[in-house]
Amino acid sequence: MKMNMDQWTKELLEAPVKKALPVLSFPSIQLMGITVKELINDSDLQAKGMKAVADRTPNSGGAVSLMDLSVEAECFGAPIRVADDEVPTVVGPVLDTEIDEDERMEVAEALEVPEIGAGRTQIYIDAIEKAMDLITDRPVFAGVIGPFSLAGRLMDVTSSLIYCYDEPDMAHVVLEKSTEFIIKYIKAYKAIGANGVVIAEPLAGLLSPSLAVEFSGDYCKRIAEEVKDENFAVIYHNCGNTANVTLDSILSANANAYHFGNAVDMEEIMSKVPSDVICMGNVDPAGQFRNGTPESVREATLSVMEKCCKYPNFVISSGCDIPPMSSWDNIDAFFNAVDEFYAK
């Protein structure tokens, strides 16, 4: 359903009672009795899974697609590992870390930007298009990886941090190609009617403030400028533990909203951001949703809300993607706690 997302952002900011918006998609496998492997390879199952989650969580503020950060790297040729009950992961780089600097630059320059439809991208685009027909009571958000997080997977996550210092020109070549691909991918989602996109840039959380601007913030800003308009929103996600000191870089993306992980103090984040900037977070997805209990999830959710809901621009959420095998009793407890808080 087409929505004015500038108006959605304004109304969310002004609402005294805000609907939770967790990154909740992979646990749909439990509602449908399927595996992650089946889910990531079938657009019908992805759309039905998003609908099943939406039906189970009527008080959620949006429907969010899979936060699968292997999709884009796989298109560039990176090997991935797929399991039945875990989110897919990239297990090797495209650029060989053993070759010398000149050879690595040659490989980077020769790297081809994939066409949209390569790998599993068409499956994910088709899934959002189908989900748009099924979910009409809230915005539907697609999901993509962020530019440095993609480039890091192509260069090797650990080595990419070194390359920012030792081989910055090569790193920028890979970033340019990553950014070009991400923009094309988001525009494909936009073309089929998605209401917005969540850009997951977790690897930027490992960068210093100065490097974060050069190797992530400037590229995220370019992406947002290319795709964002009144009918298409951008939510920026960073679950790194330096987000509290790289806020200038993060906020430079000019997104509709910002989503933070549980590695940072959410109250500290809220105290630093402008009052008209929507920020979301940050109940621990692994410690609570996956490994907690309904009571511990309730307590954790209420704790975050008690500290942060005094800021009118705060929206309660998970700290990151909720793992596939997280108990639905725990997920239900999260939403019940949100209702409990606002009923006070």
Side-chain angles (χ1 to χ4, degrees):
M1 179 178 66
K2 185 175 181 179
M3 298 176 63
N4 185 315
M5 296 305 290
D6 284 349
Q7 184 65 26
W8 175 83
T9 304
K10 182 176 182 291
E11 291 175 355
L12 181 60
L13 183 64
E14 295 175 349
V17 175
K18 293 175 169 58
K19 291 185 176 182
L21 215 172
V23 184
L24 174 58
S25 56
F26 274 107
S28 64
I29 64 170
Q30 298 179 61
L31 300 178
M32 297 189 291
I34 62 173
T35 65
V36 168
K37 188 179 296 185
E38 291 172 309
L39 183 69
I40 66 171
N41 287 296
D42 191 313
S43 61
D44 287 326
L45 290 177
Q46 289 181 31
K48 290 175 182 177
M50 292 179 69
K51 173 62 172 172
V53 170
D55 289 344
R56 178 73 174 242
T57 61
N59 48 350
S60 175
V64 182
S65 178
L66 305 181
M67 189 178 279
D68 179 352
L69 305 189
S70 71
V71 175
E72 296 88 348
E74 184 184 27
C75 289
F76 278 90
I80 70 168
R81 179 174 61 238
V82 178
D84 285 341
D85 58 0
E86 295 180 357
V87 177
T89 55
V90 175
V91 294
V94 173
L95 274 72
D96 190 344
T97 58
E98 301 300 320
I99 59 180
D100 66 33
E101 184 174 333
D102 290 340
E103 290 177 301
R104 199 154 34 243
M105 175 60 93
E106 290 178 6
V107 174
E109 290 176 336
L111 199 61
E112 293 187 6
V113 178
E115 293 298 321
I116 299 306
R120 287 175 287 130
T121 55
Q122 194 61 53
I123 294 174
Y124 282 52
I125 293 166
D126 291 344
I128 291 295
E129 186 170 23
K130 293 170 182 177
M132 293 294 298
D133 291 332
L134 299 174
I135 303 169
T136 58
D137 62 344
R138 69 198 77 179
V140 174
F141 294 95
V144 302
I145 196 170
F148 186 67
S149 298
L150 174 54
R153 283 161 173 77
L154 300 181
M155 295 186 289
D156 178 73
V157 168
T158 301
S159 299
S160 65
L161 303 175
I162 299 171
Y163 295 149
C164 290
Y165 291 99
D166 294 348
E167 300 178 42
D169 291 344
M170 184 276 295
H172 280 298
V173 169
V174 180
L175 272 161
E176 287 288 344
K177 296 186 177 189
S178 298
T179 301
E180 179 184 342
F181 181 66
I182 291 167
I183 289 172
K184 291 198 301 181
Y185 193 19
I186 295 174
K187 285 184 175 180
Y189 279 124
K190 188 174 179 179
I192 53 89
N195 300 120
V197 65
V198 178
I199 300 177
E201 182 71 320
L203 195 57
L206 301 178
L207 296 170
S208 67
S210 60
L211 291 179
V213 173
E214 179 181 355
F215 292 96
S216 177
D218 288 347
Y219 290 96
C220 289
K221 181 179 180 181
R222 188 196 308 176
I223 292 169
E225 287 174 345
E226 284 274 351
V227 303
K228 182 178 169 228
D229 62 31
E230 66 177 2
N231 296 314
F232 192 85
V234 171
I235 297 177
Y236 172 101
H237 165 79
N238 184 316
C239 55
N241 61 5
T242 63
N244 59 328
V245 295
T246 59
L247 273 175
D248 287 345
S249 170
I250 291 170
L251 298 180
S252 71
N254 192 30
N256 295 74
Y258 300 86
H259 191 278
F260 295 91
N262 54 286
V264 294
D265 183 336
M266 196 70 212
E267 186 176 14
E268 180 185 357
I269 295 290
M270 299 309 304
S271 71
K272 292 181 175 180
V273 300
S275 60
D276 61 346
V277 174
I278 296 171
C279 292
M280 306 176 179
N282 73 340
V283 178
D284 187 345
Q288 291 299 335
F289 284 99
R290 178 66 179 91
N291 296 311
T293 65
E295 183 55 32
S296 72
V297 170
R298 172 184 173 273
E299 291 176 0
T301 304
L302 291 175
S303 176
V304 174
M305 296 186 75
E306 285 162 2
K307 294 174 183 176
C308 297
C309 282
K310 60 188 176 185
Y311 299 95
N313 50 328
F314 173 72
V315 175
I316 186 68
S317 180
S318 54
C320 193
D321 187 27
I322 297 176
M325 297 310 295
S326 300
S327 164
W328 271 96
D329 288 341
N330 289 350
I331 297 168
D332 291 340
F334 166 79
F335 283 101
N336 291 337
V338 175
D339 291 341
E340 177 185 344
F341 179 88
Y342 282 122
K344 293 180 181 177

